[in-house]
């Protein structure tokens, strides 16, 4: 029987807030569709107090900005991007193109074609999320996307130099200092100064997420995303200090970021709560982490590991950290998560920043139907077919005629009839000639 030692605080204000976000985003997108660059500039001035002569950085500007970044930061960016690139190449290698002969002279095939233009959104409101450049741009380039447009907002009126360096080193073809809904909408619908893209990837705040949701269909997106989530699974062997530190590591993303512990040990649960409350006041990011833990933190105590894994699957969270004696059991026991982090030596922050797997992951239960961003998201898996044998052409033509007429699709049937007639002289009674 599960026991909840700490509940999340339900908030009716969330519904009203989402409605306001939806209304604002709808208006901004419509305005940008109608007025293009003028609207983009107006919203950038209003939301980011940013209105340069050109939102797109020139090659010379990029070079100057990158040169201003400390050498150690550049070295670290290169190292992390190497990890992301290597893992994305492994993913690409796992995708197989093939052609198979199913009947004499009948060849069916599959191939992968990269989208021709992708947009990468790198957030920057609260923090310069440099790592998102690695995840979105490097992965797109490994997939073979020929044009990657990368957008990031200024931070308090300043150019985020490290983020620009990461975008450049990742291989972005265009770098724009532009944020929020105006950036996403401009990439999606295009303006006089920006050609539209085919797919947009990358995390963002509620407004960015809602913009991607509303624009989906006209363009592709990586996934629908909400606030960052962490779920820590712990048995009696876990260190409650580690549990607390890792819960807070994700709570600092924002005041609406859920942080949840499920454990088989009541002692670990109580001790973790105590450690969280001890650590919170000294965190520089307590203004975000505090409300997140207060309103969205949960602690559950269960009797068995099986109950723990079952409850974890019910949450279907973005990040699941497994702090148990046998963490790899989760690979067999769990089916609904964005990414697993197995054992005390593997924290969620590694996935966010340095280890090489992609940190753009499903939230709000989306792990029930999708994984996170990966190289395949930038590829269109397409099929082709060819019939060169006359006997197979006649066989399929007759079968097509019969199958189509069962469904009352006479036009389809006649296409099949013609192939049988061309191949083996079948009569065409409907032709009348």
């Amino acid at each position: 029987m599960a026991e909840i030692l700490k509940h999340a605080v339900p908030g009716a204000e969330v519904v009203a807030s989402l409605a306001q976000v939806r209304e604002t985003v709808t208006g901004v997108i419509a305005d940008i569709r109608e007025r293009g660059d003028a609207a983009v500039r107006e919203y950038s001035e209003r939301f980011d107090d940013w209105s340069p002569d050109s939102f797109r950085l020139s090659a010379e500007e990029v070079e100057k900005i990158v040169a201003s970044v400390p050498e150690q930061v550049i070295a670290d960016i290169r190292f992390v991007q190497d990890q992301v690139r290597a893992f994305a190449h492994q993913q690409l290698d796992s995708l197989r193109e093939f052609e198979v002969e199913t009947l004499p002279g009948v060849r069916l095939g599959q191939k992968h074609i990269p989208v021709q233009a992708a947009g990468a959104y790198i957030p920057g409101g609260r923090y310069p999320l440099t790592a998102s450049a690695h995840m979105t741009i490097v992965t797109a380039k490994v997939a073979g996307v020929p044009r990657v447009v990368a957008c990031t907002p200024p931070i308090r009126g300043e150019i985020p130099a490290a983020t620009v360096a990461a975008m450049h080193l990742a291989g972005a073809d265009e770098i724009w200092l532009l944020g929020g809904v105006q950036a996403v909408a401009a990439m999606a619908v295009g303006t006089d100064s920006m050609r539209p893209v085919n797919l947009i990837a990358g995390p963002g705040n509620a407004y960015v997420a809602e913009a991607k949701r509303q624009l989906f269909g006209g363009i592709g997106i990586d996934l629908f995303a909400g606030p960052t989530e962490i779920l820590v699974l712990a048995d009696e062997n876990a260190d409650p200090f580690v549990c607390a530190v890792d819960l807070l590591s994700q709570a600092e993303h924002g005041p609406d970021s859920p942080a949840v512990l499920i454990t088989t040990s009541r002692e670990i649960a109580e001790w973790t709560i105590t450690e969280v409350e001890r650590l919170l006041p000294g965190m520089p990011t307590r203004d975000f982490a505090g409300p997140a833990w207060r309103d969205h933190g949960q602690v559950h105590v269960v009797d068995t590991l099986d109950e723990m894994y079952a409850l974890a699957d019910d949450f279907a969270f973005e990040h699941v950290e497994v702090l148990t004696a046998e963490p790899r059991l989760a690979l067999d026991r769990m089916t609904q998560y964005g990414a697993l982090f197995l054992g005390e030596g593997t924290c969620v922050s590694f996935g966010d920043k340095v280890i090489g797997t992609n940190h753009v992951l499903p939230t709000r239960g989306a792990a029930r139907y999708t994984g996170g961003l990966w190289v395949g998201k930038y590829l269109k898996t397409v099929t082709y077919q060819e019939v060169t044998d006359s006997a197979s052409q006649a066989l399929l033509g007759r079968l097509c005629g019969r199958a189509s007429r069962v469904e009352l699709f006479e036009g389809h049937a006649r296409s099949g009839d013609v192939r049988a007639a061309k191949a083996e002289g079948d009569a065409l009674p409907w032709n009348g000639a």
Side-chain angles (χ1 to χ4, degrees), residues 80 216 220 241 258-259 269 281 294-295 302 304 336-337 370 373 417 427 431:
V80 175
F216 176 61
F241 173 69
R294 181 192 67 216
D295 298 340
V302 296
T304 68
Q336 299 186 157
Y337 52 85
T370 187
L373 180 62
D417 294 347
N431 189 33

Side-chain angles (χ1 to χ4, degrees), residues 198-220:
N198 309 124
L199 179 146
I200 293 177
N205 63 18
Y207 291 91
V208 168
E210 176 61 18
K212 288 166 63 179
R213 188 191 71 80
Q214 291 191 23
L215 291 161
F216 176 61
I219 56 155

